[in-house]
Each structure stands twice: as C-alpha cells, then as structure tokens.
Amino acid sequence: MTAPWTWEFGGYDPKKERVVEALCTLGNGRFATRGSAPETVADTLHYPGTYLAGCYNRLVSNVRGLQIVNEDMVNLPNWTALRYRCLPEGGPPGDWLTPDDPSLRHCKVILDLRGGTLTRRMLFQDAQGCRLGVTHTRLVHMGDPYLAAQRTAFRAYGWSGSIEAESALDGDIANAGVERYRDLAGSHLTDHRAGVEPEGVAWLSCTTSSSRTRIGLAVRTTSLPPVPVATSCTGSAAVLAFALPISRGQPAVLVKTAALHTTLDRPTGDPLGRAVESATRAPDFPSLLLSHQTTWKRLWSEGELSVPGEPGRIVRLHAFHVLQTLSRHTAELDAGVPARGLHGEAYRGHVFWDELFVMPYVTLHFPEVARALLMYRHRRLPAARAAALQVGGRGAMFPWQSGSSGREETQSLHLNPRSGRWLSDHSRLQRHVGSAIALNVWRYGQTTGDTGFMHGPGAELLLEIAGYWADTAAFDQASGRYHIRGVLGPDEYHDAYPDSAVPGIDDNAYTNVTAAWVLARGLELIDNLPAARRAELLGLLDLDREALDRWEDLSRRLYVPFHQGVISQFEGYGGLAELDWDAYRARYGDIRRLDRILEGEGDTVNRYQASKQADTLMLGYLYRPAELHALFARLGYRLDDETWRSTVAYYRNRTSHGSTLSSLAHGWVLAHQKGEEAWPYCEEALLGDVTDIQGGTTGEGIHLGAMGGTLDLVERGVVGLEACAEGLRIDPVPLGDIPRSTFTFCYRGHRGIRVRFLPGRLGISVPASPHGTVQLILPHERKVSVPAGKQRWFRLPPG
C-alpha cells in the first residue's frame, strides 16, 4: 500500500475478504456495489451487495414471541455475477473457479482512487501445470448515475481450449450481511420476472415487498471474440452462457454493462423499459471508462484534500468513500447520510447524527449537495412535528434513526451477540439529533450565504427544533433552572438510572448545552429575517413575545450538572460506581463494547462511570474553546481552561471507545489543548476502517461519520477553517503528524478558493469572480482581506 492514489490488497485472506469488499465498494452517490469477487455468492466469507440511496423496505419479524417491524436499505439484484471454468482441448472440463479454489496461486485487488475503478487479478494453476490468468475491472459510472460496467479478461498460459463462462443477473437476493440480524426477516424483493432480449440484453424486474418500489435491472454482456450465446432464465435470474476460445497469445474478454432504474427516479417511468434501453445504448467499455475517469478528475479538483505521508493516503481514501456516497447525483434523490454509507447493511442503512461529522466537508466542497441533504431533513419536518405531538410536545422531534419516511426507525430490540439475549433498545431517546440538524443548518448558512435557504427551509428546521427544546424543558422553581429529563446522550451506554424501571437519564450536559445553543441561534435568526417572513413564521409557529422571552430565558438558564470540579455527563453521573478498568482489560482484552460484556455477566453499565464514546467531550468537538466558554457564560457558568482540562482528563479515563467517532472527538479536543496525547487518538480515527479496528464491523459497511470526521479534522480542526458572521475564521491547531495540507473550497459564492497550510505560513488564493473580497479572521482576531483574483501569504504565530 505505497502509491498515493491506489490501495492494493495482496494475497487472498478469506477472513479479511468482507473488509476488502467494503473498502473496495464503488458508487456514484445514487447506487453502489460492494467490491466482492464476481465469482462469489453470499456466504460466511463473501457478501455481494448493491444498494440504492433512499431505497428502503419494511418487514415484520418474530423475536421472543413479539412481532417487530424493521426498515432496511435493500440489497438489490446482483449484476456482477460471473462464473467460469476451463475446457482444455481433449480434456474434461475443470471446476468452476472462485478465489477459494485451491488452484488459486496469486491474487491482488487494486482500488484506484483517482479513476474510481476496482481491479482484481488472479492466477489459477491446475495439477497439470496449466495456468489461467483472470483480470476483472469494475466501475460504477460517476457521470451517468444509472450505469455500471465490469470487464473480465482471461489469459491462458501453457494450454489452449475454451472458457465456459456464465454471466448472470441474479435476483435471488436477501439482506443477510450482518450476523446479528440473521434472526430477522430479510427477503425484501418480490414479484420477480427475468428474461433476455433478442439483442442479448438480460433483464430482471422485481418490487420491494412493502414500499412497492419497482426495480428494473438490465445487463448487456459482450464477448471478444464474439461467439454464439445460449440463454436460460428462472423466475428470479437470467443467465447468458459463452464458450470462449482461448489459447496462448489469444485472450478472451467478457464485458458486462449494467443499467439500474427504479420508480424512485425523477421523472418516474417504466424502470424495466428504461433499464433495457440504457443497457442497450450504453457506450463500449473503453468509452465508459474514459468518461467515468474524466468525471472523477473534475470531482477530485473540487474535493481533494492533500496531506503528506500515510495520513494523507488514508484521508484520500476517506474522501473517496464520502464522494461515492454523497455526490451531485444524491442531490437528485430523497436521501440522507447513511451512517455506513452504501457499503453494507449495518445499522440497516439508516440515517443517524453522522451528518454532523460529514456535512462540514460536504458544505465546503459541494454546497449544493449539502443543501440537498438538509432538504432530506426538511421533507421530514411534518413527521418530526407529529412525533413531538405524540409525546405531548410541540416543535419538531427528529428521530434517532431515520429512513424513508421520517418516522422513528430505531429498533425496539437489539441482540447482544455475547450473551445471545435480545434486549430492549432505548436509544431512540437520543433527542440531541435535532440539535445536530440545527447546527448543520446554521453552518451551511454561514458558509454559503444562501439566504434563500436560511430564510426558507433552514429557518423552518431550526426554529421548529428550537421550539421542541423550549417545550420539552421544565422549570424547577427551587433551583431556578430548566431541566431536560428522560433522554440519552451520545454515550448510549447509560439508558436508565441503576435499578430504575423507567428509561432515560436527566440533564445530559451535551443535550442541554446544544439545546441552549439552538435556542440562541433561533432568536438570532428571527432577528435577521425580513419583516414579512418573520411575521409569517411567527404566525405559523404560534410564537408570540411571551414564547420568545421563554426561549431567551431557557438559553440562559438550562441546567448543566457538575461534580468534583468537572462537567457531569448527566445528573447523578458522579454518584455511579467506579469500574475496575484494569481488571476488565486483563480479563477480556478488547473492552470497546463494555456494555455487552457487563450484560453478559448479568450486570449493567448503567451502574458505572463508563462511557461508550465521547459525550460531554463532544462539546469540544463542536465549538471552538472561546465559543464554548461563551456558551457556558451565557448559561451562567464559568468554564475556564482548567475546568475544561480537568473534564477532558476525567472522561478520557472512563471511556471504552466503542464507537469509531469516539477517538476522533478525543483527538480533536486534545489537539486543541496542544497535547502530545492527541495523535494516537487521531491515528486511531484514521485507521478505524482500514484496519477494522472495531473487530469485524467494517465488513458490514464503512463508518461514514468517522471518515468524514477525519476530513473535518484537517480542514476545520488543524487548519481551523470556519465561517462566521464576520467572515472566514482561520485559527490553526498544530498537529505534528499533519504538518501541511492543501485543498480548495467554496465560500459565499466563491468556488475554488485554495488553501495552502504550511508550518508557520498560510496561503490563500481567491479565483477571479464577481463576489468580491474574502474577509479573513486570523489568530488573535487579526482581520485581513484577500481580493478576488489574488493570492496572499500570512505568517502564523507559533503553536
């Protein structure tokens, strides 16, 4: 793994194959296909999968005698399927070959980030010494969001005869990629029909069982040399069979060109007819490859983030997967930010709060995509209002897990694979997801200057979320403070107080502080609205002067608990028992999922001062130190540097890092403290999926939030780039292992502003445009400007 733009996986290790499949997924923001070998089928080692953004389906499962409903992102028919075997002249046919065949002598998988292609090279050798070389090259077209292609080249060494090959379009597919979901229903596709057109284009249509999304897939398979084709079909598959002559110096080639259309497309139409037409008319493979690579070249010119060394290679891989999941094609869909990308079935393809970590990068580089992702939330505003009403509240209560409709999709039961027990799941009480949405809205507005959005859908989102917090908080006369009770924080471990039959904890510091921030920003936004729009919104939301005065009071008097001179994660946290961390590490080694370990022992993490991931410390990830201090001051608390340092140290020693987001947040916070301890956490965030650090989770889908967060770590964390009302703030935080970086970004109409961050120096280049001068705020509040069409360099103070 040495080239800056390629990732190579040498050899073949079946135990790591699912991780390779996830990391080598190819997509275009509309759909993605896992990097599985075409010869394989879904089993314990391999998992082919193709997923369409926004394509969900609900099924009912029976668990512990209960009927539970889960909505999943649907695994679509497999367009890549190909099997083959050798027919030597005068000899019997060989076995169907796969990477697991004992005749495999060599295997290398190459992911090309620059051109967006996946190549798998294999060499087989039989007992007689006859060898067959096979090279698969795959793309999911970034220019045409409906097309994908796969070219397979066969080369004979030391023999001649033919290759018997079968190109299949397989619709006998279920969602079965996550072991702990295996007891749940997974057959989402129904009403299969398959056939082959006279021109040799195989087709398949099917429908999701409950959401009734109709899917049309067509595959054109061509061969070189051209040979007669035999076809066969079942109810759920179409197969084209080829006998390809092959000899030394005469290779054989098969090309599969796939087209995917559904009734989710806009404008709607007949998906099968469109798929057959698209596959039939698609250009040949060299032309598709060229146009695909050209689109990626343009995409990288807007989205590349250049960092030296191995961290830079990993950052580029992370950007690649973010771009494949969220592209301009995503903006045409009703789709959000799936926590595990379009790379697998973990978390059922749902949308959580991970956009909080991904949106800063997307907003800076692709603001139109960021706007579309916020509109996904806006279209679900009616469902969020209904959810708030259902619990007797007002405003908008967004779900912890979202999918197709905006209703709460969080499972009611989850399996502890360690104990084998199904347990009640209360994670839906993470109401802080609303604050994450509001923060993304605000940052989008600050970065883009898009007043049309901020005065329209953005205002509706932010103000409705603020309204929910205003209605949820309860005033306590004795303390003179407002309280938010019965919630979960980002930690997720603590879903109730010890021995309590009622789920939820009170006054989670992260929840309360971010709620106060939302309320303050809501008031600021109302003041900045045009008079007519202000009157309209206040009327629609039934906000009078008394209601706004309550917002103001809440934003200054929400309760934040403290104990032992540190911020308490929630009220009562300091009274919980201390865990013997050394004993548990000695007994179990990896204790990232401490909750499962304790439950397996008949205990509960609710009894201990032990957190799954950054919770209180997430405040240091979201807000610059000065901003965080000001937030606490507005709430009537003094948060000095010493208190914050003590808080960071306190939770560092009580966190198991059971989430890939945890090390990212810890590294970020420690970097801002200019501590040497920061890099190990940052490095773990970078390596999370590359090394499958969570032990088997990457194969179920990459962690998009953590990947996007590492991009944000460079741009907003190390370079310190952040838009604010006064201009573009740049306040670097030196991190020795990321000494320099270069990237371009968009800001308030400007496109292609280039940043060159070097030790002690910063270069800003603003392309010529009609949008005028860019105002910068450098360290120590030094205000400077860079006119359009100019470049300026600035010296930075020592770190």
Side-chain angles (χ1 to χ4, degrees), residues 28 112 175 195 205 272 346 443 563 575 578 718 730 782:
N28 58 23
D112 175 13
N175 279 48
S205 70
L272 180 58
R443 283 182 173 161
H563 73 277
E578 291 282 12
V718 176
I730 299 178
R782 178 188 171 198

Side-chain angles (χ1 to χ4, degrees), residues 452-679:
F453 177 82
M454 290 304 295
H455 294 172
E460 293 168 12
L461 279 167
L462 198 151
L463 297 181
E464 289 275 45
I465 293 166
Y468 169 74
W469 288 129
D471 189 74
T472 300
F475 185 70
D476 175 53
Q477 196 72 41
S479 65
R481 290 279 182 178
Y482 293 88
H483 301 266
I484 298 176
R485 300 188 171 97
V487 299
L488 266 68
D491 162 39
E492 292 188 313
Y493 273 178
H494 295 90
D495 63 357
Y497 285 102
D499 304 318
S500 173
V502 180
I505 47 91
D506 299 336
D507 292 315
N508 171 254
Y510 174 86
T511 299
N512 287 14
V513 172
T514 55
W517 181 92
V518 172
L519 288 159
R521 296 293 77 73
L523 292 166
E524 186 177 340
L525 179 58
I526 288 171
D527 286 344
N528 291 332
L529 289 172
R533 177 59 172 160
R534 183 189 309 122
E536 178 189 24
L537 272 179
L538 293 179
L540 286 171
L541 303 180
D542 193 22
L543 292 172
D544 54 17
R545 188 68 258 169
E546 182 180 353
L548 295 182
D549 287 345
R550 176 177 166 85
W551 286 25
E552 177 73 26
D553 197 39
L554 265 163
S555 73
R556 296 182 181 278
R557 288 207 283 170
L558 264 169
Y559 175 65
V560 180
F562 286 76
H563 73 277
Q564 298 177 26
V566 303
I567 304 168
S568 297
Q569 185 170 303
F570 54 83
E571 180 66 16
Y573 184 90
L576 300 178
E578 291 282 12
L579 184 79
D580 189 340
W581 291 85
D582 290 338
Y584 272 86
R585 289 190 178 97
R587 191 182 313 168
Y588 292 99
D590 185 351
I591 59 169
R592 293 175 191 275
R593 290 311 305 263
L594 185 62
D595 57 332
R596 293 174 176 172
I597 291 171
L598 289 169
E599 194 278 330
E601 294 181 344
D603 202 347
T604 173
V605 76
N606 285 332
R607 297 202 309 115
Y608 300 99
Q609 295 185 44
S611 302
K612 174 185 176 184
Q613 63 193 80
D615 189 302
T616 305
L617 301 196
M618 272 296 300
L619 294 171
Y621 177 81
L622 296 186
Y623 307 113
R624 294 179 298 106
E627 192 177 6
L628 186 59
H629 294 173
L631 253 176
F632 272 76
R634 181 185 177 93
L635 286 166
Y637 298 100
R638 183 171 182 267
L639 180 66
D640 55 25
D641 289 342
E642 185 55 38
T643 302
W644 180 245
R645 283 183 179 276
S646 297
T647 300
V648 172
Y650 189 88
Y651 291 105
R652 275 186 68 194
N653 295 325
R654 292 167 175 82
T655 304
S656 70
H657 304 293
S659 164
T660 55
L661 297 172
S662 187
S663 55
L664 171 72
H666 278 76
W668 182 295
V669 168
L670 290 167
H672 275 78
Q673 292 185 351
K674 298 179 174 57
E676 295 181 358
E677 310 96 332
W679 178 246

Side-chain angles (χ1 to χ4, degrees), residues 305-307 364 624 668 671-672 710-722 728-735 738-743 745 754-758 761-764 776-779 796:
L305 173 54
S306 180
V307 173
L364 281 171
R624 294 179 298 106
W668 182 295
H672 275 78
T710 62
L711 309 179
D712 191 28
L713 172 67
V714 177
E715 296 181 336
R716 194 170 63 90
V718 176
V719 177
L721 183 70
E722 191 152 10
L728 194 62
R729 184 178 295 278
I730 299 178
D731 191 7
V733 176
L735 192 61
I738 304 180
R740 58 181 63 85
S741 59
T742 302
F743 56 92
F745 67 97
R754 178 168 288 274
V755 170
R756 293 178 178 86
F757 174 69
L758 303 173
R761 292 195 301 153
L762 179 78
I764 301 286
L776 304 180
I777 306 165
L778 298 179
L796 299 172

Side-chain angles (χ1 to χ4, degrees), residues 386-461:
L389 282 172
Q390 194 172 6
V391 296
R394 298 178 59 189
M397 185 181 80
F398 280 90
W400 175 235
Q401 297 186 31
S402 179
S404 63
S405 67
R407 61 179 266 187
E408 179 62 77
E409 301 296 350
T410 302
Q411 64 274 9
S412 57
L413 297 173
H414 69 267
L415 175 69
N416 180 357
R418 182 176 287 272
S419 68
R421 286 189 283 266
W422 288 88
L423 310 168
S424 296
D425 191 313
H426 302 301
S427 58
R428 67 187 59 221
L429 296 176
Q430 292 188 74
R431 309 301 188 203
H432 61 81
V433 65
S435 295
I437 296 167
L439 183 65
N440 287 331
V441 167
W442 186 261
R443 283 182 173 161
Y444 171 82
Q446 294 286 299
T447 304
T448 64
D450 184 352
T451 54
F453 177 82
M454 290 304 295
H455 294 172
E460 293 168 12
L461 279 167

Side-chain angles (χ1 to χ4, degrees), residues 74-366:
V74 179
N75 188 4
L76 300 181
N78 182 8
W79 66 271
T80 69
L82 178 69
R83 69 173 187 167
Y84 49 86
R85 59 183 176 177
C86 301
L87 279 75
E89 289 179 351
D95 295 329
W96 297 105
L97 295 173
T98 75
D100 300 295
D101 194 276
S103 64
L104 181 69
R105 295 292 179 266
H106 173 78
C107 180
K108 179 183 287 187
V109 179
I110 305 168
L111 179 65
D112 175 13
L113 307 182
R114 191 190 298 275
T117 60
L118 176 64
T119 301
R120 184 182 288 260
R121 296 193 180 110
M122 294 180 290
L123 180 67
F124 298 91
Q125 181 174 320
D126 64 18
Q128 287 71 44
C130 297
R131 294 180 297 162
L132 176 69
V134 182
T135 301
H136 303 294
T137 304
R138 183 183 299 169
L139 62 87
V140 174
H141 206 281
M142 187 57 82
D144 187 326
Y146 302 97
L147 295 180
Q150 177 178 281
R151 179 184 187 273
T152 301
F154 302 98
R155 189 174 296 274
Y157 300 95
W159 65 281
S160 60
S162 61
I163 296 290
E164 182 181 343
E166 293 183 355
S167 169
L169 178 53
D170 183 12
D172 188 15
I173 300 296
N175 279 48
V178 180
E179 179 66 33
R180 59 190 176 278
Y181 302 166
R182 293 288 171 85
D183 291 339
L184 304 175
S187 296
H188 294 277
L189 301 177
T190 187
D191 301 334
H192 293 81
R193 290 189 304 120
V196 180
E197 293 296 290
E199 298 84 1
V201 174
W203 55 264
L204 174 69
S205 70
C206 54
T207 304
T208 55
S209 61
S210 62
S211 59
R212 307 308 295 170
T213 299
R214 289 189 292 130
I215 297 154
L217 258 168
V219 175
R220 182 187 76 204
T221 306
T222 57
S223 69
L224 187 68
V227 296
V229 181
T231 64
S232 62
C233 297
T234 66
S236 59
V239 180
L240 280 68
F242 300 79
L244 302 168
I246 190 170
S247 62
R248 184 177 180 181
Q250 182 190 340
V253 176
L254 276 181
V255 175
K256 301 184 70 168
T257 305
L260 170 63
H261 287 258
T262 77
T263 47
L264 297 177
D265 299 341
R266 294 188 294 183
T268 58
D270 171 27
L272 180 58
R274 289 185 171 185
V276 171
E277 182 180 8
S278 294
T280 302
R281 295 184 177 182
D284 60 15
F285 189 84
S287 300
L288 282 173
L289 179 61
L290 178 61
S291 58
H292 172 69
Q293 291 172 331
T294 300
T295 304
W296 266 107
K297 183 178 181 180
R298 189 259 306 161
L299 199 59
W300 280 121
S301 72
E302 301 173 75
E304 185 188 355
L305 173 54
S306 180
V307 173
E310 188 64 10
R313 275 176 29 81
I314 299 174
V315 163
R316 186 174 286 121
L317 177 71
H318 290 180
F320 178 75
H321 284 298
V322 171
L323 295 175
Q324 290 194 122
T325 307
L326 308 170
S327 76
R328 288 188 173 90
H329 304 308
T330 316
E332 298 298 318
L333 306 170
D334 181 30
V337 181
R340 305 301 284 272
L342 302 174
H343 298 59
E345 295 163 14
Y347 302 166
R348 300 185 173 86
H350 290 169
V351 177
F352 294 70
W353 71 327
D354 298 72
E355 62 208 68
L356 183 65
F357 302 87
V358 177
M359 283 288 280
Y361 170 82
V362 176
T363 301
L364 281 171
H365 295 269
F366 305 97

